[in-house]
């Protein structure tokens, strides 16, 4: 069974399997919309193979855009960091949730309006870009209040200012609601945790309008800024990157260098199932193999056969030892997602994952 690039395949019941590509993904798509944390770098350092893979993709003509929910840093700062890591970038290559939420606010308040900012410089720069005026106090009669990640040293009093404004009925916006954010020392509280603080203080009855992944304003901002015609979302998180691609109706590549592991991938709901799966960003440089559904619920990819039997995911190698373990992952995804349909696969994957070394 052969499919068109990015369309995925269907098993006998019409359920989507991982997609295939006859050419490298960097040739099949004109623009890679790359998440940063967990994809390009982790803890400020480049992830193995990322610099080299992105360099080859860029040299082959693929446009690289860097799309992040982190609203703290300006695009210039992000681009400088990438360049220092060996990934040449300019500010125009970076799209942040601060830019997305600034456009959302500008579309809904009069030009030149004051906006109470709870966050970092990235938010302030994005608001000024839209002709809005950042302010620091709820007493300045802002037309809106916006929250974005402000780093670990954001004063507690800033949350109080946001709560005062929301209590008065000021429209409330958030760059994103990611509950956590990865750092060099581990996982810390993200902007979503800060949003919850304000929501509780404001009485718990009001919710902010949110711009970041996986919601449409972020996808809209990304397409407007990059001009992508055949975009491929590349990320490590199912609930932001992959769901955002799903909501935007575009294809996606999940890389296993960040927060999502294979066990979590196998239990993905339909909106969290990527079009393609790769170990790391080298997956951009190769064709994705075909994943074929056979009779009896068996799914084949490369040298691997997978199926669900008696509540267990079963994986078998059909070639000599040394078969590509990622083909085994793809076969397992096909079997798990086919069995789950529109639900979540509950089959035990322990033995199959152990066979792959995951």
């Amino acid at each position: 069974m052969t499919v068109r690039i990015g369309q995925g395949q269907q098993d006998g019941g019409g359920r989507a399997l991982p997609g295939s590509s006859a050419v490298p993904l960097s040739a099949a798509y004109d623009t890679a919309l790359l998440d940063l944390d967990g994809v390009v770098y982790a803890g400020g350092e480049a992830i193995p193979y990322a610099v080299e893979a992105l360099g080859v993709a860029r040299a082959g003509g693929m446009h690289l855009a860097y799309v992040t929910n982190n609203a703290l840093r300006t695009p210039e700062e992000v681009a400088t960091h990438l360049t220092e890591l060996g990934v040449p970038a300019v500010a125009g290559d970076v799209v942040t949730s601060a830019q997305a939420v600034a456009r959302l606010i500008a579309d809904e308040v009069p030009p030149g309006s004051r906006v109470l900012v709870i966050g970092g410089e990235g938010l302030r720069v994005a608001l000024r870009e839209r002709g809005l005026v950042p302010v620091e106090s709820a007493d300045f009669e802002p037309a809106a209040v916006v929250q974005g990640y402000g780093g670990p040293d954001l004063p507690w009093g800033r949350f109080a200012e946001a709560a005062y404004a929301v209590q008065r009925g000021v429209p409330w916006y958030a760059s994103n609601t990611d509950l956590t954010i990865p750092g060099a020392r581990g996982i810390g509280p993200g902007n979503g945790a800060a949003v919850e603080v304000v929501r509780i203080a404001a009485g718990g009855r009001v919710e902010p309008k949110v711009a970041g992944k996986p919601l449409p304003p972020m996808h809209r901002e990304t397409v407007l800024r990059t001009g992508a015609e055949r975009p491929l979302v590349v990320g490590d998180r199912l609930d932001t990157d992959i769901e955002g691609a799903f909501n935007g109706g575009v294809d996606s590549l999940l890389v296993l260098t960040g927060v999502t592991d294979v066990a979590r991938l196998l239990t993905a709901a339909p909106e969290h199932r990527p079009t393609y799966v790769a170990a790391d960003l080298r997956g951009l440089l190769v064709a994705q193999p075909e994943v074929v559904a056979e009779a009896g619920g068996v799914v084949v990819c490369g040298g691997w056969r997978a199926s669900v039997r008696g509540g267990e995911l079963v994986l078998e190698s059909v070639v000599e030892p040394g078969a590509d373990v990622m083909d085994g992952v793809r076969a397992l995804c096909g079997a798990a997602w086919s069995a789950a349909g529109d639900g979540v696969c509950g089959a035990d994957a322990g033995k199959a994952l152990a066979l792959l070394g995951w």
Side-chain angles (χ1 to χ4, degrees):
M1 182 186 300
T2 302
V3 296
R4 290 175 296 165
I5 291 170
Q7 294 301 304
Q9 301 180 67
Q10 304 293 321
D11 68 6
R15 292 164 290 199
L17 306 181
S20 64
S21 169
V23 297
L25 298 183
S26 57
Y29 298 89
D30 68 340
T31 305
L33 306 179
L34 295 133
D35 184 43
L36 291 173
D37 286 312
V39 175
V40 179
Y41 54 66
E45 298 298 324
I47 285 175
Y49 310 112
V51 172
E52 298 83 357
L54 292 175
V56 173
R58 185 190 310 107
M62 191 178 213
H63 178 207
L64 306 180
Y66 304 94
V67 184
T68 177
N69 262 1
N70 191 329
L72 176 61
R73 295 189 294 175
T74 66
E76 288 80 2
E77 290 171 327
V78 174
T80 297
H81 181 207
L82 287 169
T83 301
E84 290 171 347
L85 292 178
V87 182
V90 297
D93 296 327
V94 180
V95 184
T96 73
S97 63
Q99 294 170 318
V101 77
R103 187 186 297 270
L104 183 61
I105 296 170
D107 287 345
E108 298 181 357
V109 304
S113 293
R114 298 187 183 96
V115 178
L116 173 60
V117 177
I118 314 301
E121 187 61 16
L123 264 182
R124 294 178 178 84
V125 169
L127 290 169
R128 294 188 190 104
E129 182 182 64
R130 293 285 154 214
L132 301 170
V133 180
V135 297
E136 302 298 315
S137 171
D139 293 337
F140 284 119
E141 299 184 355
V145 55
V146 61
Q147 278 186 267
Y149 182 68
D153 299 323
L154 189 67
W156 190 253
R158 304 302 302 142
F159 303 136
E161 291 297 325
Y164 301 150
V166 174
Q167 290 165 15
R168 297 169 189 172
V170 176
W172 183 24
Y173 300 81
S175 64
N176 68 294
T177 51
D178 296 356
L179 290 174
T180 61
I181 187 168
R185 297 173 60 197
I187 303 298
N191 192 54
V195 166
E196 282 300 295
V197 170
V198 173
R199 185 183 67 81
I200 293 168
R205 295 182 298 275
V206 182
E207 299 289 342
K209 291 185 178 181
V210 183
K213 297 180 287 186
L215 298 174
M218 189 66 173
H219 179 72
R220 173 195 177 205
E221 188 71 20
T222 299
V223 171
L224 286 173
R225 287 181 178 270
T226 64
E229 295 182 357
R230 301 187 315 281
L232 178 69
V233 170
V234 184
D236 70 308
R237 299 182 70 118
L238 301 182
D239 59 348
T240 54
D241 305 314
I242 305 308
E243 186 177 342
F246 177 88
N247 291 338
V250 300
D251 293 342
S252 59
L253 168 66
L254 179 81
V255 291
L256 299 173
T257 49
V259 300
T260 301
D261 59 16
V262 178
R264 174 68 187 89
L265 178 61
L266 296 177
T267 64
E271 66 272 18
H272 291 163
R273 296 171 187 169
T275 314
Y276 311 109
V277 184
D280 51 58
L281 283 176
R282 289 176 295 178
L284 284 173
L285 309 179
V286 297
Q288 288 271 315
E290 188 176 15
V291 183
V292 179
E294 296 185 342
V298 175
V299 175
V300 178
C301 183
W304 300 91
R305 295 165 57 88
S307 60
V308 176
R309 301 180 204 162
E312 183 179 5
L313 269 167
V314 177
L315 183 66
E316 303 168 293
S317 176
V318 295
V319 296
E320 294 295 324
D324 187 345
V325 296
M326 285 309 304
D327 287 348
V329 170
R330 296 176 185 111
L332 283 174
C333 287
W337 299 347
S338 294
D342 292 334
V344 173
C345 181
D348 184 356
K351 292 181 181 177
L353 293 178
L355 182 61
L356 293 174
W358 288 94

